[in-house]
């Protein structure tokens, strides 16, 4: 092999090697240092940008090297054109990938800041739209007519829609639930089947609910859209805890009201300090068989606090009632037996014995 035969390959090989070296330097040194600086300064959205660009700078420099190699090497015009289109198509695909990641990431960030929650349904939809538009641009760039493709997709969409009725029903039901603001991730809901928990995600197909026991419930979007359920975070998270209590008939009801309200305030100070301005109160309502019954009304921050609120209230109220001498009666049944009835029974027994 002579120098003349090797010489045409020198420039293309150099372009490829330069592209590889530049890609490694950009990825391992420049990209890593920029990411470290952004992490230290806590720049908003920097994590989304750098995760979207992961491995992409290296790919771009390598593509640039290959593009230079194609231009520097003498090939047939049609072969050169075809290779250039391939490199351009790959470059446009990587750009589309970056834009899709950025769009999905910033949509999720925006939803977190505005609603306090995020849903993968919206971010996945945005990502899909970017990929579709990017694919059409790539086809147009490499010389493929997109009009027949769009026409074919329109006709084929009818058949696909009929074949995927359940999937599309879940998709549109998910959008309906989000746009109508009936539910969002982070809400605590209770289904008509008595299952309950926090919504952790809304996807294109189903809603994920996490129970307090950390078990996961999967509900299709269309099922939830047509079901009866209670959202304990609408219209607000705060709700009223109610407790039914009975005290003995010899209790001082004014004292009972004062002490019960004081105990309720103590509980609110522990679990809902921001709501202490909402004065708890009680209402007497029933002269029962063994007690005078009343109901306590106390505001708490959210549904999750119901259990701990009742737990603390029962403990504290029981202790305070014992200190104040207030009794909570329990059912007592007295049985009275008359002596003449017993005598008659004994007499009948003896008489029967004599007859026998």
């Amino acid at each position: 092999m002579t120098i003349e035969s090797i010489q045409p390959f020198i420039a293309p090989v150099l372009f490829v090697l330069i592209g590889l070296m530049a890609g490694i330097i950009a990825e391992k040194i420049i990209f890593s240092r920029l990411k470290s600086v952004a992490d230290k300064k806590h720049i908003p959205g920097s994590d989304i940008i750098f995760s979207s660009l992961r491995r992409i700078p290296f790919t771009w420099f390598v593509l640039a090297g290959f593009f230079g190699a194609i231009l520097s090497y003498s090939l047939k015009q049609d072969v050169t054109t075809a290779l250039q289109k391939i490199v351009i198509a790959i470059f446009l695909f990587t750009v589309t990938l970056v834009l899709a990641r950025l769009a999905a990431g910033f949509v999720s960030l925006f939803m977190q800041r505005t609603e306090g929650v995020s849903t993968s349904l919206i971010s996945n939809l945005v990502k899909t739209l970017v990929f579709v538009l990017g694919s059409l641009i790539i086809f147009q760039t490499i010389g493929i007519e997109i009009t027949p493709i769009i026409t074919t997709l329109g006709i084929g969409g009818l058949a696909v829609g009929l074949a995927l009725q359940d999937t599309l029903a879940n998709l549109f039901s998910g959008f309906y639930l989000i746009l109508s603001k009936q539910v969002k991730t982070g809400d605590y809901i209770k289904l008509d089947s008595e299952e309950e928990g926090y919504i952790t995600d809304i996807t294109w197909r189903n809603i994920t609910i996490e129970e307090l026991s950390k078990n996961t419930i999967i509900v299709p979007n269309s099922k939830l859209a047509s079901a009866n359920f209670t959202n304990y975070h609408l219209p607000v998270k705060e709700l009223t805890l109610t407790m039914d209590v009975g005290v003995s008939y010899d209790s001082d009801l004014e004292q009972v009201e004062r002490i019960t309200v004081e105990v309720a305030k103590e509980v609110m100070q522990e679990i809902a300090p921001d709501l202490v301005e909402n004065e708890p109160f009680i209402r007497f309502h029933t002269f029962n068989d063994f007690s005078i019954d009343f109901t306590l009304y106390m505001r708490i921050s959210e549904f999750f606090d119901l259990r701990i609120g009742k737990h603390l209230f029962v403990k504290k109220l029981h202790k305070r009632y014992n200190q104040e001498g207030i009794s909570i009666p329990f059912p007592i049944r007295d049985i009275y037996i008359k002596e003449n009835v017993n005598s008659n029974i004994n007499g009948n027994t003896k008489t029967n014995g004599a007859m026998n």
Side-chain angles (χ1 to χ4, degrees):
M1 183 176 292
T2 63
I3 297 178
E4 290 77 8
S5 61
I6 298 175
Q7 190 172 1
F9 297 98
I10 295 177
V13 171
L14 285 176
F15 273 111
V16 173
L17 291 177
I18 291 173
L20 287 172
M21 292 299 297
I24 293 173
I25 293 172
E27 184 75 28
K28 299 296 184 181
I29 300 176
I30 300 176
F31 187 80
S32 299
R33 289 185 178 179
L34 289 174
K35 186 176 183 302
S36 300
V37 171
D39 290 340
K40 290 179 180 178
K41 294 186 176 182
H42 302 287
I43 300 175
S46 61
D47 54 339
I48 298 175
I49 296 174
F50 285 103
S51 62
S52 301
L53 289 172
R54 188 178 64 251
R55 305 296 183 188
I56 298 299
F58 173 78
T59 304
W60 284 346
F61 279 104
V62 171
L63 288 175
F66 275 103
F67 195 81
I70 294 170
L71 294 178
S72 64
Y73 190 75
S74 298
L75 292 170
K76 293 182 179 181
Q77 185 62 35
D78 55 345
V79 175
T80 301
T81 303
L83 291 175
Q84 288 177 351
K85 287 183 177 180
I86 291 174
V87 173
I88 292 172
I90 296 174
F91 172 74
L92 291 177
F93 174 77
T94 58
V95 172
T96 302
L97 179 62
V98 171
L99 292 177
R101 290 174 177 175
L102 288 172
F106 280 108
V107 165
S108 296
L109 181 63
F110 173 77
M111 294 181 67
Q112 288 175 354
R113 291 187 173 183
T114 54
E115 300 290 340
V117 293
S118 63
T119 55
S120 60
L121 177 60
I122 303 297
S123 60
N124 287 337
L125 175 65
V126 172
K127 187 184 294 185
T128 301
L129 290 176
V130 173
F131 270 119
V132 170
L133 292 176
S135 300
L136 294 177
I137 293 172
I138 292 172
F139 289 148
Q140 187 71 30
T141 302
I142 63 179
I144 299 176
E145 291 293 333
I146 63 174
T147 303
I149 296 176
I150 296 175
T151 305
T152 303
L153 289 175
I155 298 173
L158 296 175
V160 173
L162 293 174
L164 301 176
Q165 290 185 31
D166 292 340
T167 301
L168 292 177
N170 286 319
L171 177 64
F172 288 112
S173 295
F175 283 118
Y176 167 75
L177 290 170
I178 293 174
L179 295 177
S180 64
K181 298 184 178 180
Q182 293 183 0
V183 295
K184 61 181 183 293
T185 53
D187 284 355
Y188 193 96
I189 67 171
K190 184 175 183 179
L191 306 177
D192 54 358
S193 58
E194 299 300 322
E195 297 165 312
E196 59 186 72
Y198 287 97
I199 296 178
T200 56
D201 197 9
I202 302 176
T203 67
W204 60 273
R205 183 175 178 81
N206 51 54
I207 290 179
T208 305
I209 302 173
E210 184 180 90
E211 295 182 305
L212 296 179
S213 60
K214 300 302 180 181
N215 295 326
T216 300
I217 305 171
I218 307 297
V219 182
N221 294 335
S222 58
K223 296 292 185 183
L224 188 64
S226 60
N228 296 324
F229 65 91
T230 303
N231 189 337
Y232 289 100
H233 284 184
L234 288 180
V236 292
K237 288 184 179 181
E238 294 86 2
L239 50 84
T240 301
L241 181 153
T242 60
M243 287 283 292
D244 292 322
V245 185
V247 294
S248 62
Y249 272 86
D250 58 357
S251 301
D252 182 349
L253 298 187
E254 295 294 337
Q255 181 191 26
V256 169
E257 182 174 11
R258 176 177 55 81
I259 292 174
T260 305
V261 170
E262 289 177 359
V263 171
K265 287 181 179 179
E266 292 179 11
V267 175
M268 289 182 66
Q269 192 64 44
E270 290 190 30
I271 65 174
D274 296 335
L275 301 177
V276 290
E277 67 274 6
N278 297 284
E279 189 83 8
F281 60 93
I282 70 172
R283 291 293 181 265
F284 294 98
H285 53 75
T286 305
F287 288 102
N288 216 328
D289 293 338
F290 310 101
S291 62
I292 297 176
D293 296 342
F294 64 87
T295 301
L296 166 76
Y297 299 89
M298 177 177 62
R299 296 292 288 175
I300 57 175
S301 298
E302 63 167 309
F303 183 84
F304 181 76
D305 293 332
L306 275 177
R307 291 174 174 83
I308 187 63
K310 291 182 178 180
H311 170 76
L312 292 174
F313 180 75
V314 169
K315 285 176 58 178
K316 291 178 177 293
L317 189 67
H318 182 262
K319 181 179 180 180
R320 186 69 183 278
Y321 276 8
N322 286 337
Q323 293 174 351
E324 301 292 340
I326 300 173
S327 63
I328 301 176
F330 50 87
I332 301 174
R333 177 172 295 175
D334 295 330
I335 300 176
Y336 297 93
I337 301 177
K338 295 182 179 180
E339 291 186 7
N340 58 347
V341 174
N342 292 334
S343 299
N344 291 335
I345 293 173
N346 292 333
N348 290 338
T349 303
K350 291 180 180 179
T351 305
N352 292 336
M355 292 176 62
N356 290 334

